[in-house]
């Protein structure tokens, strides 16, 4: 059924169709509508789930972990300051191997107090052991929640489904809402091998001596390494069932490109418009939109980027004292793999400043004009 | 199945010996840290410096101490609270919350 929905409600519908059993959340702009709709669904019986009102995001994640440990499918959503407050519990979720799915609306971190989009909130959680998907349309948000549960539960690793504040969260688009039967066929019920149950008492996540801790972390990394193939496989299954492709990345005109832009989130779709304009001017540009950031899809990124002589990575984030975070990661993916493209890094759109087609055309022009890699940050649209 | 109270179940578990878990390879290990009943042998009540004592004459059976105990080391037996000193760490929350002040904290003598 096609419906015009906002990005936040795409998360709610994704959780509903995935038959989330426990939703624990605390409201925060710009995430509020996600849990508003889910609480209504729980109240009117549309969704057979327990809605837990908590007093903070730290508790929202703690409750989600508890639910997941007891064998329930758990969903929550947050943004920026809320995600930062969850930080400790994010490690508990991944370390305890609880496949919670979290919707995060990318919002700039304070101060100055901001509700507008940038990626520093979710990218600050890069090393928490969560998978991260960056979405660029409401349809993709809805679909990704369903896929994320499937991948998470197969690997027992939690997932974050990320979308841009306002640019996507509050933008209404047409989305195809799949039937419950079709989603049920794609996503079976959550049946963990081990769970908390009074009849067979266990304690999870207790004191772990140096004799064992190292191996738990080794196993988490080894399972994370299985994720790229599984995301591809479940993406193909998704396409067969619903007609929409969900891959590790989204390519646009990369095959003959001299310059490939690396983008994520909604900037990835604005880039397509810029690329169409650039191609009319005779510049062969293409776009690699990173859909999955963790696990980092090394092989896929390398194979695509080696087609071009130049790469421009556009970051709506910054790692202070280093570079844009996607820029760092793309460079590391190419390291030691022979002669690769020249990679330039651009930072733009922090704190919700619009990333326009003109900005992206400017980025392409600057990347083509530079002779060699200088590892300097180029700031686009900053008032200097 | 015979219904047993939590205190009785605990006594049963204490009789069993805690197994020492040793893994020789990473493949044998579960994916997360997990223990089976280790708390039945690790009596954390030994950490206590002060202990709650209930004067049942003042107890109005409200259940507030049972509800607030974070451990949880209070069980309701025949409508009255019973403290499990094997695990009570002496935090004093029950005494603080008791509306009739029939729970007092007294110094442990060891």
């Amino acid at each position: 059924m096609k419906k015009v929905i906002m990005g936040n409600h795409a998360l709610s519908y994704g959780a509903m169709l995935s038959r989330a059993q426990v939703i624990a959340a605390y409201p925060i702009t710009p995430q509020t509508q996600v849990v508003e709709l889910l609480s209504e669904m729980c109240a009117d019986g549309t969704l057979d789930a327990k809605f837990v009102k908590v007093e903070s995001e730290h508790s929202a994640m703690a409750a989600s972990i508890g639910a997941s440990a007891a064998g329930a499918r758990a969903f929550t959503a947050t943004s920026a300051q809320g995600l930062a407050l969850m930080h400790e519990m994010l490690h508990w979720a991944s370390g305890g191997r609880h496949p919670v799915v979290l919707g995060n609306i990318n919002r700039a971190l304070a101060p100055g107090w901001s509700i507008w989009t940038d990626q520093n909130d979710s990218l600050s959680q890069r090393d928490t052991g969560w998978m991260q998907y960056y979405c660029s349309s409401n349809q993709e948000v809805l679909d990704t929640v369903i896929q994320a549960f499937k991948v998470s539960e197969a690997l027992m690793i939690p997932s974050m489904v990320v979308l841009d504040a306002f640019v996507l969260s509050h933008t209404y688009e047409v989305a195809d809402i799949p039937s419950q039967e079709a989603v049920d066929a794609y996503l079976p019920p959550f049946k963990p091998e081990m769970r908390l149950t009074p009849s067979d008492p266990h304690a999870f996540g207790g004191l772990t001596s140096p004799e064992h801790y190292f191996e738990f972390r080794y196993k988490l990394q080894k399972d994370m390494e299985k994720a790229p193939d599984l995301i591809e496989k479940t993406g193909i299954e998704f396409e067969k069932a619903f007609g929409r492709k969900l891959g590790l990345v989204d390519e646009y005109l990369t095959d003959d490109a001299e310059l490939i832009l690396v983008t994520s989130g909604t900037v990835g779709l604005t880039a397509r418009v810029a690329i169409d304009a650039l191609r009319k001017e005779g510049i062969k540009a293409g776009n690699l939109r990173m859909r999955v950031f963790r696990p980092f899809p090394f092989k896929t990124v390398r194979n695509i980027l080696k087609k071009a002589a130049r790469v421009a990575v556009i970051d709506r984030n910054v790692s202070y004292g280093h570079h844009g975070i996607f820029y760092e990661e793309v460079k590391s993916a190419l390291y030691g793999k022979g002669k690769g493209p020249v990679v330039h890094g651009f930072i733009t759109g922090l704190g919700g400043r619009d990333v326009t087609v003109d900005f992206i055309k400017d980025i392409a022009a600057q990347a083509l004009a530079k002779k060699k890699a200088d590892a300097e940050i180029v700031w686009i649209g900053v008032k200097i | 199945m015979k219904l047993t109270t939590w205190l009785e179940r605990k006594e049963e578990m204490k009789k069993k010996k805690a197994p020492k878990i040793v893994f020789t390879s990473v493949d044998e290990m579960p994916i997360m840290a997990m223990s089976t009943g280790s708390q039945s042998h690790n009596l954390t009540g030994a950490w206590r410096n002060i202990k709650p004592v209930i004067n049942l004459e003042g107890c109005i059976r409200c259940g507030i101490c049972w509800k607030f105990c974070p451990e949880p080391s209070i069980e309701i037996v025949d409508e009255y609270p019973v403290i499990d000193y094997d695990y009570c760490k002496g935090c004093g929350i029950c005494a603080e919350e008791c509306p009739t002040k029939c729970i007092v904290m007294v110094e442990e003598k060891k």
Side-chain angles (χ1 to χ4, degrees):
Chain A
M1 182 185 56
K2 288 208 168 138
K3 212 169 164 168
V4 179
I5 55 169
M6 72 189 308
N8 278 343
H9 287 173
L11 276 176
S12 319
Y13 279 108
M16 179 200 85
L17 289 165
S18 301
R19 293 189 188 273
Q21 292 161 297
V22 174
I23 294 143
Y26 189 81
I28 181 170
T29 301
Q31 153 268 32
T32 310
Q33 293 89 356
V34 182
V35 286
E36 258 175 11
L37 183 59
L38 283 167
S39 72
E40 282 168 22
M41 287 171 172
C42 290
D44 71 14
T46 312
L47 179 59
D48 183 17
K50 175 78 182 166
F51 190 92
V52 189
K53 282 179 287 180
V54 285
E55 88 299 344
S56 75
E57 287 83 358
H58 189 277
S59 297
M61 185 45 61
S64 303
I65 291 166
S68 188
R73 186 169 282 160
F75 178 84
T76 185
T78 189
S79 185
Q81 313 300 131
L83 186 67
L85 184 56
M86 265 184 198
H87 177 77
E88 184 203 0
M89 286 291 119
L90 293 178
H91 281 282
W92 272 94
S94 59
R97 309 298 293 268
H98 304 299
V100 178
V101 171
L102 176 153
N104 181 65
I105 322 299
N106 266 154
R107 160 182 156 178
L109 286 160
W113 198 243
S114 171
I115 53 171
W116 296 277
T117 195
D118 79 33
Q119 300 171 320
N120 260 82
D121 61 346
S122 55
L123 291 173
S124 294
Q125 309 302 340
R126 182 183 69 171
D127 301 333
T128 52
W130 281 60
M131 293 186 269
Q132 290 195 351
Y133 299 82
Y134 287 80
C135 299
S136 65
S137 70
N138 291 355
Q139 183 74 64
E140 189 182 357
V141 170
L142 191 159
D143 294 346
T144 303
V145 172
I146 300 166
Q147 182 191 27
F149 272 117
K150 195 174 171 84
V151 176
S152 276
E153 288 169 9
L155 299 173
M156 297 296 276
I157 299 174
S159 293
M160 228 175 260
V161 178
V162 184
L163 53 150
D164 304 37
F166 300 105
V167 183
L168 204 55
S169 69
H170 286 60
T171 298
Y172 281 75
E173 291 181 329
V174 176
D176 184 22
I177 299 174
S179 73
Q180 186 65 63
E181 296 73 46
V183 176
D184 287 348
Y186 177 78
L187 180 67
F190 176 41
K191 291 242 168 67
E193 277 178 36
M194 291 178 295
R195 66 187 187 93
L196 287 180
T197 166
S199 57
D200 182 21
H202 285 72
F204 289 168
L207 186 70
T208 307
S209 69
E211 199 180 341
H212 293 130
Y213 183 96
F214 199 179
E215 282 71 21
F216 287 125
R217 288 303 185 257
Y218 170 85
K219 284 171 97 82
L220 178 55
Q221 167 66 10
K222 285 289 157 194
D223 285 340
M224 193 66 118
E225 286 170 10
K226 294 175 191 161
D229 286 348
L230 191 61
I231 292 167
E232 287 282 11
K233 185 172 160 275
T234 55
I236 291 164
E237 285 166 18
F238 195 93
E239 191 179 11
K240 276 186 194 149
F242 304 100
R244 294 181 294 273
K245 193 169 184 284
L246 292 175
L248 290 162
V249 299
D250 172 35
E251 283 182 84
Y252 185 65
L253 305 179
T254 55
D255 283 343
D256 64 341
E258 298 159 24
L259 168 72
I260 297 178
L261 304 174
V262 177
T263 55
S264 55
T266 52
V267 174
L269 290 195
T270 311
R272 285 187 178 213
V273 180
I275 284 162
D276 289 344
L278 288 165
R279 289 222 165 215
K280 272 188 195 145
E281 292 165 21
I283 298 163
K284 283 186 184 167
N287 182 36
L288 168 64
R289 180 169 67 84
M290 300 288 302
R291 215 176 81 77
V292 176
F293 174 71
R294 276 292 178 277
F296 195 86
F298 288 104
K299 246 196 288 178
T300 311
V301 167
R302 264 185 227 132
N303 287 339
I304 294 166
L305 295 187
K306 73 182 182 195
K307 294 188 259 191
R310 283 161 194 278
V311 169
V313 184
I314 306 177
D315 276 293
R316 201 173 208 165
N317 61 75
V318 56
S319 173
Y320 305 105
H322 203 317
H323 292 119
I325 294 166
F326 279 89
Y327 180 44
E328 296 167 12
E329 301 252 342
V330 166
K331 283 188 294 177
S332 89
L334 296 168
Y335 179 78
K337 294 288 165 183
K339 201 178 171 302
V342 175
V343 188
H344 299 296
F346 298 84
I347 290 177
T348 189
L350 299 187
R353 185 161 301 171
D354 279 338
V355 180
T356 63
V357 171
D358 284 343
F359 276 13
I360 296 172
K361 285 172 75 179
D362 182 23
I363 287 168
Q366 291 204 39
L368 288 166
K370 279 196 176 203
K371 287 275 183 298
K372 54 184 180 188
D374 52 15
E376 293 277 335
I377 295 176
V378 184
W379 299 80
I380 301 294
V382 72
K383 292 164 189 158
I384 40 176
Chain B
M1 199 178 90
K2 186 176 165 283
L3 282 174
T4 53
T5 67
W6 173 70
L7 288 167
E8 285 165 345
R9 281 202 303 278
K10 192 195 70 185
E11 290 305 316
E12 281 298 307
M13 288 184 76
K14 273 163 75 175
K15 288 179 200 157
K16 296 178 192 164
K17 205 170 151 46
K20 164 94 178 139
I21 304 170
V22 180
F23 299 106
T24 52
S25 84
V26 71
D27 296 329
E28 286 175 22
M29 289 175 63
I31 55 171
M32 69 181 112
M34 191 181 71
S35 58
T36 51
S38 63
Q39 286 305 300
S40 56
H41 308 277
N42 183 18
L43 305 183
T44 47
W47 305 0
R48 194 173 56 235
N49 289 320
I50 48 173
K51 72 172 186 181
V53 175
I54 306 177
N55 173 14
L56 288 179
E57 280 177 22
C59 178
I60 55 170
R61 296 174 285 170
C62 64
I64 287 176
C65 57
W66 168 81
K67 195 165 192 178
F68 274 74
C69 176
E71 213 23 62
S73 290
I74 297 179
E75 194 181 20
I76 303 295
V77 178
D78 297 332
E79 298 188 20
Y80 284 94
V82 176
I83 295 170
D84 181 354
Y85 292 109
D86 281 348
Y87 297 103
C88 166
K89 292 176 183 146
C91 70
I93 288 174
C94 54
E96 176 69 24
E97 296 295 335
C98 177
T100 66
K101 300 295 165 204
C102 74
I103 306 177
V104 289
M105 300 304 291
V106 299
E107 199 132 339
E108 278 286 359
K109 292 194 182 86
K110 286 179 189 170

